[in-house]
Amino acid sequence: MIKAFIVDLDGVLISTDKYHYLDWKNIADKPRCTYKYLAQ
């Protein structure tokens, strides 16, 4: 029986910024859309 689970929504446990960017870029790559990663 599962008693608990961990949800990492803000990337503290696992860095997800690369995948977040790639997902948004995939959406924005549709015609007449641009998306640039500006964070340093």
Side-chain angles (χ1 to χ4, degrees):
M1 174 180 8
I2 298 175
K3 296 201 178 215
F5 62 95
I6 297 173
V7 178
D8 181 24
L9 297 176
D10 59 355
V12 171
L13 300 176
I14 300 172
S15 179
T16 57
D17 56 343
K18 174 184 174 183
Y19 303 107
H20 186 83
Y21 162 73
L22 291 174
D23 287 338
W24 276 106
K25 185 176 181 317
N26 185 33
I27 292 168
D29 279 344
K30 307 296 183 227
R32 291 187 271 172
C33 259
T34 58
Y35 182 77
K36 296 180 181 178
Y37 186 63
L38 300 176
Q40 297 297 330

